[in-house]
Amino acid sequence: MAKGVSVIDQIFSCYHELFEAEKRVADYILAQPEQVIDMTVSELAELSAASNATIIRFCKKCGCQGFQHLKIRIARESAVVQEKQPSGTIHMDDLEQSLHNIVVNKCEEIKQTLYNIPLEEVRTMVDRIKESRFVLFAALGNTIPVALDGAYKLNQLGITALCSPIWESQMAMAHTLTAEDVVIAISASGESKKLLTLVDRAQERGAAVLAITNYAKSSLALRCPYHIHTVARERLFFPNFSFAFTRLAAMAVMETFFFLLASSKAGAQECIALHEQTIADDKT
């Protein structure tokens, strides 16, 4: 199923790790990728106020062997796009185009996330969740809504799942974990010290831990045996801002687990039906 994360999304993913000169190169490529295809290293270096060596280092950080490899990947990926590439512009004076830009890029976030999901890791985690005593969701700040939604979805399936918006409560739960339990840690940067502390404790207790982060090489991703890399393109629209998280790709991951569990866990659909019957009286 995996087709490989596009080079553009690899640039978004590693952007926070780049040096300032490398970020200038990234910004230039993201702004006009098709023009880069016909450039030499020296031309791109001059236009982005960087050195030739910086270009090469940047390419390697994006998973390319060199600048020629980067150009080939950009050209190949551009060739398969059926509709006109959307821009990174959002403006109320052109609402129709703005909505188109948002839709296309949000769809691409989900596609890139799910097409490149690690299949065997997901298979293992689905089995662990089905057999678990309970699932603890760990999150802070902007990722808490994703965790709360994930816990709700699992409980609908008859799987005991816990989530608290208070980190101290999450940590208290982590102290009660056993080898029969699962932790799903959700973080944009994957560098939260509190989450790393919780994950360390969970693994000391023998629990299986799945990390969902925007950065494949983050401390949280590298520390966990299971990791799903979510693609986020918010920098395309707001290059001068540093957003903590956009939730759509992470929500899509939790939806994916919900569907897989609903289709494979014995009694899951009966649990969903019972839940719906219970809350039916509140619906008009």
Side-chain angles (χ1 to χ4, degrees), residues 20-48:
E20 288 305 314
E22 294 167 342
K23 286 182 179 179
R24 291 197 297 272
V25 176
D27 291 339
Y28 190 93
I29 293 173
L30 292 173
Q32 39 205 346
E34 293 185 358
Q35 284 92 324
V36 173
I37 295 172
D38 297 321
M39 289 182 182
T40 65
V41 172
S42 298
E43 288 172 335
L44 179 57
E46 181 179 355
L47 290 169
S48 59

Side-chain angles (χ1 to χ4, degrees), residues 16 187-196 213 215 217-220:
H16 73 296
S187 172
S189 67
E191 299 296 341
S192 166
K193 292 181 180 179
K194 290 181 176 180
L195 282 186
L196 292 173
T213 76
Y215 304 116
K217 295 182 180 180
S218 65
S219 298
L220 183 61

Side-chain angles (χ1 to χ4, degrees), residues 113-114 117 210 212 228-230 248-258:
T113 296
L114 297 186
I117 208 164
L210 167 67
I212 300 174
I228 293 176
H229 169 213
T230 49
L248 199 57
M251 286 285 193
V253 170
M254 293 315 308
E255 289 280 331
T256 299
F257 272 100
F258 177 80

Side-chain angles (χ1 to χ4, degrees), residues 5-278:
V5 176
S6 73
V7 68
I8 296 299
D9 284 307
Q10 283 182 315
I11 294 173
F12 284 126
S13 180
C14 73
Y15 191 91
H16 73 296
E17 301 173 354
L18 301 177
F19 294 114
E20 288 305 314
E22 294 167 342
K23 286 182 179 179
R24 291 197 297 272
V25 176
D27 291 339
Y28 190 93
I29 293 173
L30 292 173
Q32 39 205 346
E34 293 185 358
Q35 284 92 324
V36 173
I37 295 172
D38 297 321
M39 289 182 182
T40 65
V41 172
S42 298
E43 288 172 335
L44 179 57
E46 181 179 355
L47 290 169
S48 59
S51 67
N52 288 15
T54 297
I55 305 291
I56 302 305
R57 282 198 309 271
F58 165 79
C59 292
K60 291 182 177 179
K61 287 186 178 180
C62 298
C64 297
Q65 298 168 7
F67 185 54
Q68 187 64 24
H69 185 206
L70 178 88
K71 293 198 298 179
I72 290 172
R73 287 189 60 185
I74 292 174
R76 184 185 300 130
E77 291 160 9
S78 297
V80 300
V81 175
Q82 296 301 312
E83 64 177 320
K84 184 179 180 180
Q85 186 73 15
S87 72
T89 302
I90 299 176
H91 203 289
M92 291 300 295
D93 289 342
D94 192 352
L95 190 55
E96 182 176 355
Q97 181 63 39
S98 295
L99 293 176
H100 172 72
N101 295 340
I102 293 169
V103 167
V104 172
N105 282 289
K106 287 302 169 183
C107 288
E108 194 64 23
E109 284 184 355
I110 295 174
K111 285 167 56 180
Q112 290 289 332
T113 296
L114 297 186
Y115 281 166
N116 293 284
I117 208 164
L119 301 184
E120 288 308 312
E121 290 188 19
V122 169
R123 192 186 309 277
T124 299
M125 287 307 301
V126 167
D127 289 340
R128 288 297 300 265
I129 291 170
K130 285 192 291 188
E131 298 166 1
S132 65
R133 184 174 65 111
F134 74 82
V135 178
L136 171 62
F137 282 83
L140 292 169
N142 204 25
T143 60
I144 288 175
V146 183
L148 290 170
D149 180 65
Y152 175 68
K153 281 182 166 60
L154 294 192
N155 281 304
Q156 280 185 295
L157 299 171
I159 298 168
T160 302
L162 305 172
C163 179
S164 170
I166 302 171
W167 177 80
E168 288 81 0
S169 294
Q170 296 177 28
M171 195 67 216
M173 294 176 196
H175 291 309
T176 71
L177 295 170
T178 71
E180 299 177 37
D181 303 322
V182 172
V183 173
I184 299 178
I186 308 170
S187 172
S189 67
E191 299 296 341
S192 166
K193 292 181 180 179
K194 290 181 176 180
L195 282 186
L196 292 173
T197 299
L198 187 150
V199 163
D200 286 343
R201 183 56 177 155
Q203 294 190 108
E204 288 170 5
R205 303 280 301 177
V209 182
L210 167 67
I212 300 174
T213 76
N214 283 355
Y215 304 116
K217 295 182 180 180
S218 65
S219 298
L220 183 61
L222 296 175
R223 197 166 301 195
C224 296
Y226 308 102
H227 173 248
I228 293 176
H229 169 213
T230 49
V231 171
R233 288 188 162 200
E234 68 273 11
R235 187 172 294 279
L236 182 67
F237 297 121
F238 304 102
N240 297 323
F241 294 174
S242 178
F243 282 81
F245 198 55
T246 52
R247 303 187 187 108
L248 199 57
M251 286 285 193
V253 170
M254 293 315 308
E255 289 280 331
T256 299
F257 272 100
F258 177 80
F259 289 134
L260 293 173
L261 288 161
S263 66
S264 62
K265 180 183 179 295
Q269 296 184 38
E270 288 79 2
C271 288
I272 296 172
L274 178 60
H275 176 72
E276 289 298 315
Q277 290 169 11
T278 303

